């Protein structure tokens, strides 16, 4: 083996090491970018679910069941009403976020950790009417993603938190109590 062959072999070995290191570093960077994208998506989803437009829509839907006490009233009076418009807003905002969570585009557990109570209470508020609307429109899939996210939230609130994670340790702060 002459010096030229040794130099060529060393050059190839150096190139392979550089390629391996670059691949490793790029994979780490990609993972970090993925976390950042997820964080931005979660923040955007929470912003959508707490937007004044959606808050107003849910205020409109308060006590919707009493305004449409039976299937016939839904058929005759719901279409093009303010309640119909408010429910379309809910579908636009909440169903979109819930669909993304259900399809694992965004992390459902982060959403329900942040605003699970709000999701559960709002779903509970419209559920009796949604069941009636599903029956009247003969469509069991209306608001199925919102329902899934609300049920996921019910399930998640009772799931034991990750063991070994100091942020879920009940003794994390020792004997410190909160004082204002």
């Amino acid at each position: 083996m002459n010096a030229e062959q040794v130099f060529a072999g060393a050059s190839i070995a150096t190139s392979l090491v550089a390629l391996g290191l670059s691949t490793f570093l790029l994979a780490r960077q990609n993972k970090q970018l993925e976390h950042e994208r997820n964080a931005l998506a979660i923040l955007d989803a929470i912003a959508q679910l707490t937007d004044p437009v959606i808050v107003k829509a849910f205020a409109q839907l308060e006590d919707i069941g009493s305004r449409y006490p039976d299937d016939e009233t839904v058929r005759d009076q719901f279409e093009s009403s303010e309640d119909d418009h408010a429910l379309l807003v809910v579908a636009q905002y909440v169903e979109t976020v819930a669909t993304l969570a259900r399809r694992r585009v965004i992390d459902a557990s982060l959403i329900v950790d942040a605003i699970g109570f709000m999701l559960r209470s709002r779903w509970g508020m419209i559920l009796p009417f949604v069941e009636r609307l599903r029956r009247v429109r003969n469509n069991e899939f209306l608001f199925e993603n919102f329902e899934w996210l609300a049920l996921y939230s019910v399930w998640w609130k009772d799931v034991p938190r990750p063991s070994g994670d100091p942020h879920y340790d009940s003794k994390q702060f020792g004997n410190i109590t909160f004082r204002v």
Side-chain angles (χ1 to χ4, degrees):
M1 218 184 321
N2 64 25
E4 199 173 288
Q5 288 175 328
V6 171
F7 181 73
S11 179
I12 290 172
T14 302
S15 296
L16 290 175
V17 168
L19 180 63
L21 184 61
S22 295
T23 301
F24 172 75
L25 292 174
L26 285 172
R28 283 188 56 196
Q29 182 181 16
N30 187 45
K31 191 70 167 169
Q32 193 62 28
L33 288 172
E34 183 181 326
H35 287 308
E36 289 176 20
R37 279 191 308 272
N38 283 337
L40 291 173
I42 293 294
L43 291 172
D44 187 49
I46 291 169
Q48 280 193 356
L49 295 173
T50 58
D51 187 276
V53 171
I54 199 76
V55 171
K56 182 179 177 187
F58 275 110
Q60 169 64 40
L61 294 172
E62 189 96 22
D63 211 23
I64 188 173
S66 67
R67 292 190 292 280
Y68 307 93
D70 53 43
D71 293 0
E72 197 60 40
T73 311
V74 173
R75 281 187 202 93
D76 295 341
Q77 298 174 15
F78 180 71
E79 196 76 28
S80 299
S81 68
E82 287 183 31
D83 292 319
D84 187 17
H85 175 71
L87 215 49
L88 286 173
V89 169
V90 168
Q92 177 184 354
Y93 280 75
V94 182
E95 275 290 293
T96 300
V97 170
T99 300
L100 293 173
R102 192 173 187 183
R103 300 272 178 114
R104 296 185 177 132
V105 174
I106 56 179
D107 190 333
S109 67
L110 292 175
I111 292 173
V112 299
D113 263 354
I115 56 171
F117 177 76
M118 184 269 307
L119 287 168
R120 292 187 304 274
S121 63
R122 290 194 172 158
W123 176 248
M125 180 179 77
I126 67 168
L127 175 59
F129 179 75
V130 168
E131 288 173 337
R132 184 171 297 129
L133 191 61
R134 285 173 175 170
R135 189 173 52 251
V136 166
R137 292 194 174 163
N138 196 28
N139 185 347
E140 66 186 274
F141 303 109
L142 290 174
F143 294 94
E144 74 170 323
N145 295 303
F146 187 175
E147 181 175 37
W148 178 87
L149 191 57
L151 292 172
Y152 185 94
S153 179
V154 170
W155 171 77
W156 180 257
K157 74 179 182 59
D158 295 327
V159 170
R161 299 306 186 232
S163 63
D165 187 329
H167 296 298
Y168 289 100
D169 184 356
S170 61
K171 299 175 188 109
Q172 177 182 3
F173 298 111
N175 293 330
I176 299 172
T177 56
F178 185 78
R179 293 187 194 124
V180 181

